[in-house]
Amino acid sequence: MTRRPLVKVLVASVLAIALGPGAARAAAATRPTIEITVIHALRTDGGLSIDPQLKDLPQLTREPFVRYNVYKLLDRKRLPLESGKAAASALVNGRTLQVTLIEPTADGGVPRYHVRAEIDEPGKRAFLKLLEVTASSDEPFFVGGQSYQGGTLFIELVVRS
């Protein structure tokens, strides 16, 4: 029986104790995630109605959002982003959103993220073949225009780091 696996475990344990749990959390915290928010926008004869969980979106007062007066949050989730690997999320309309981190960059020392978004439907032509955006952390960008239950789906994408 070899002692190498035991030595590796002991070395890893000593490093974990020496660096403390904060080092592991700090390393994990620097990995970017993509926050995906799916919004159903409708135009009705009634007044303005915004889901309370969407009240913090100032974009709803600008084009093209002002064409609608009812906004419902359908889904919100965070997925990890890794360079070159697609993070996939099923959408409420049966399509799949894939977001890929192309590369993290820095602009004047501020981290920015070059990401690609694609929406497809199994067995059919892609709805959104390719959208590439370079955004700072916490800077939202939107994909929209898919018909859904008498309204339109808007997808807010935000890289979080």
Side-chain angles (χ1 to χ4, degrees):
M1 182 163 127
T2 179
R3 292 183 179 228
R4 288 183 190 241
L6 179 61
V7 170
K8 287 180 181 177
V9 169
L10 288 174
V11 169
S13 298
V14 169
L15 285 174
I17 292 168
L19 296 175
R25 279 194 299 273
T30 60
R31 292 187 189 133
T33 60
I34 188 75
E35 183 176 283
I36 301 166
T37 302
V38 180
I39 302 165
H40 187 208
L42 295 157
R43 180 80 197 150
T44 68
D45 292 334
L48 182 65
S49 174
I50 300 175
D51 188 306
Q53 295 178 72
L54 299 174
K55 294 265 187 213
D56 61 341
L57 283 178
Q59 292 85 354
L60 297 181
T61 62
R62 302 183 206 134
E63 284 291 337
F65 300 101
V66 295
R67 297 177 190 165
Y68 306 91
N69 63 336
V70 176
Y71 304 95
K72 296 177 187 174
L73 173 68
L74 298 181
D75 192 21
R76 180 176 280 156
K77 65 181 82 166
R78 275 193 189 188
L79 300 174
L81 278 180
E82 240 180 277
S83 289
K85 291 187 180 179
S89 177
L91 299 175
V92 295
N93 60 359
R95 292 187 167 130
T96 301
L97 168 70
Q98 292 186 33
V99 181
T100 306
L101 175 62
I102 304 301
E103 63 183 339
T105 61
D107 185 9
V110 176
R112 294 181 54 82
Y113 302 91
H114 180 186
V115 296
R116 174 185 299 147
E118 192 172 355
I119 297 173
D120 59 17
E121 185 172 5
K124 295 193 177 179
R125 204 180 72 181
F127 173 78
L128 173 69
K129 288 190 181 209
L130 188 66
L131 168 71
E132 288 196 22
V133 175
T134 300
S136 297
S137 183
D138 303 324
E139 179 184 353
F141 59 98
F142 291 83
V143 176
Q146 299 176 71
S147 295
Y148 181 72
Q149 295 184 353
T152 301
L153 288 182
F154 287 101
I155 303 167
E156 178 194 37
L157 300 166
V158 184
V159 178
R160 305 283 188 197
S161 58

